[in-house]
Amino acid sequence: MAEELIITLPDDWHLHLRDGDLLQAVAPHRGTDWVHESALCSSSHFGRAIVMPNLKPPITTTAAAVAYRDSIMKTLPAGSNFSPLMTLYLTDKTSPEEIKLARRSGIVYGVKLYPAGATTNSQDEVTDLFGECLAVLEEMVEQNMPLLVHGEVTDPKIDIFDREKVFIETILQPLIKRLPKLKVVMEHITTKDAADFVESCSEGFVAATVTPQHLLLNRNAIFQGGLQPHNYCLPVLKRETHRQAIVSAVTSGSKRFFLGTDSAPHEKQCKESSCGCAGIYNAPVALSAYTKVFEEAGALDKLEAFTSFNGPDFYGLPRNTSRVKLAKTPWKVPESFSFSFGEIVPMFAGETLDWQPSLV
């Protein structure tokens, strides 16, 4: 059994950095109560990250994306080489000209489609994808600009555990049939249906990101020993059969799947409230968690492609040249991280993980 792995520096192809106090906390996160000063965080253990645009107000223009990127860069530690890759929030008012501007900017790498109410700050929804947004989607094909989708319908008549499957059937399949050259990333997939769908599409045009929580947890984790708000995320965790299917897809060596943590920090009091926020803060444990998945599947030889190759290859970007070491050294995840505004509880708080990353 390997006691140490050295892999190409990974990228995170789905990350929430928030803004304001939360941005100040999590982008440069190196907490002094951490196991080692070089412990993983959004900026120190990933070379690049696709940054989500669902702020208040959302990032709908290239100018706003530039300003948000500037805010992120100001939070990073001196000497950091972390590169935020910005996205735009798709609305009915997005124009083809904005897509051209985004491509020319050199800092926008995708456009995000959120169903209304599907996740945090997703109120500014698209009401007619094939009507209001068709010209924009066609321009995205011309500009080779990927569409990043939160793949769930939000019709209250649809069971929450079926929303990903229905989204594929009613939105994604018709979209790809109409625009087969549109590059699409199905974010944070959670079901066998999604894994099978991605595998059925043309390679190089449809891909998916996968989170640590959807690889390691099933929906029992939300309810074991009482309600567990820090295991609540959207899309919600699914049945064990779906978790196993996603693990099989990711560890198979397929180029269609790549790392996307969907790390989504919320203050502890917002998670543990009468109407708790959805989102799991997994950035500090992500690489340890992904390595656990691949080790348990007997597929450590396929870990580097998932973490470090498949994403940049799909986006047409160069692979990183720096390296990360993963040592088989058990370490305990802190119960929480304290900041001036409150606490943030990480995934696997208080638990011991086997693999510990550090920069080479």
Side-chain angles (χ1 to χ4, degrees):
M1 182 66 66
E3 296 299 318
E4 180 179 294
L5 297 172
I6 296 179
I7 64 172
T8 301
L9 183 68
D11 299 304
D12 187 346
W13 299 96
H14 186 124
L15 179 65
H16 295 271
L17 286 177
R18 308 303 192 203
D19 55 1
D21 288 341
L22 278 175
L23 171 61
Q24 296 289 329
V26 303
H29 189 185
R30 292 178 182 271
T32 55
D33 55 351
W34 202 227
V35 180
H36 288 305
E37 294 236 344
S38 61
L40 281 184
C41 64
S42 296
S43 66
S44 68
H45 288 172
F46 295 101
R48 297 164 290 201
I50 286 282
V51 179
M52 293 295 103
N54 55 328
L55 306 183
K56 288 184 177 180
I59 305 299
T60 59
T61 66
T62 303
V66 170
Y68 184 29
R69 185 180 187 278
D70 289 344
S71 296
I72 294 168
M73 298 302 292
K74 290 176 182 177
T75 71
L76 300 180
S80 172
N81 293 316
F82 177 72
S83 179
L85 310 179
M86 310 312 293
T87 58
L88 300 186
Y89 189 119
L90 184 65
T91 74
D92 287 345
K93 297 180 180 179
T94 305
S95 68
E97 290 70 28
E98 191 64 54
I99 301 302
K100 294 176 184 176
L101 185 61
R103 176 54 77 195
R104 289 198 300 268
S105 74
I107 63 109
V108 175
Y109 290 86
V111 177
K112 187 66 186 273
L113 171 64
Y114 287 106
T119 189
T120 303
N121 298 339
S122 60
Q123 304 92 332
D124 297 88
E125 78 281 6
V126 168
T127 60
D128 185 1
L129 184 64
F130 297 106
E132 297 289 340
C133 295
L134 184 58
V136 170
L137 296 172
E138 290 172 339
E139 187 61 40
M140 289 173 62
V141 174
E142 291 297 316
Q143 299 296 331
N144 197 30
M145 179 73 74
L147 178 69
L148 319 180
V149 302
H150 182 117
E152 294 186 290
V153 296
T154 54
D155 184 336
K157 296 190 294 293
I158 305 299
D159 189 284
I160 191 169
F161 294 103
D162 297 329
R163 290 178 179 180
E164 188 170 89
K165 181 176 185 292
V166 174
F167 181 89
I168 293 169
E169 295 169 348
T170 61
I171 298 175
L172 209 47
Q173 287 178 335
L175 173 63
I176 291 169
K177 183 176 181 180
R178 186 157 188 171
L179 296 171
K181 298 300 183 182
L182 177 67
K183 297 189 81 165
V184 176
V185 180
M186 193 173 183
E187 306 279 16
H188 45 51
I189 64 169
T190 67
T191 61
K192 182 179 187 299
D193 307 274
D196 291 346
F197 173 73
V198 171
E199 286 285 12
S200 74
C201 295
S202 299
E203 187 171 300
F205 289 99
V206 178
T209 61
V210 191
T211 75
Q213 56 264 30
H214 293 110
L215 289 169
L216 286 168
L217 305 176
N218 62 37
R219 64 189 188 180
N220 288 345
I222 306 173
F223 307 106
Q224 287 175 331
L227 189 62
Q228 303 297 324
H230 297 287
N231 288 336
Y232 171 54
C233 59
L234 290 172
V236 71
L237 301 171
K238 301 300 194 300
R239 290 181 180 272
E240 175 64 9
T241 53
H242 290 298
R243 187 195 70 81
Q244 291 177 0
I246 297 171
V247 169
S248 295
V250 163
T251 59
S252 69
S254 171
K255 297 179 180 180
R256 304 165 192 261
F257 304 96
F258 40 86
L259 186 159
T261 66
D262 194 20
S263 184
H266 291 281
E267 295 174 53
K268 181 179 179 180
Q269 63 181 5
C270 294
K271 292 287 291 179
E272 299 179 1
S273 70
S274 60
C275 186
C277 297
I280 294 177
Y281 181 45
N282 60 39
V285 303
L287 279 190
S288 300
Y290 284 121
T291 307
K292 172 182 171 69
V293 171
F294 279 77
E295 180 183 34
E296 291 177 349
L300 282 174
D301 60 317
K302 297 180 175 66
L303 174 67
E304 186 176 34
F306 172 77
T307 62
S308 312
F309 297 162
N310 297 347
D313 290 354
F314 182 85
Y315 276 85
L317 295 172
R319 297 173 180 178
N320 293 320
T321 56
S322 301
R323 313 281 278 174
V324 164
K325 180 173 73 173
L326 293 154
K328 195 73 178 288
T329 305
W331 60 280
K332 186 176 180 180
V333 181
E335 294 284 353
S336 65
F337 296 102
S338 296
F339 302 96
S340 60
F341 57 84
E343 293 181 84
I344 301 176
V345 177
M347 184 180 181
F348 293 134
E351 298 185 32
T352 297
L353 297 178
D354 289 336
W355 290 91
Q356 188 172 354
S358 61
L359 297 180
V360 175

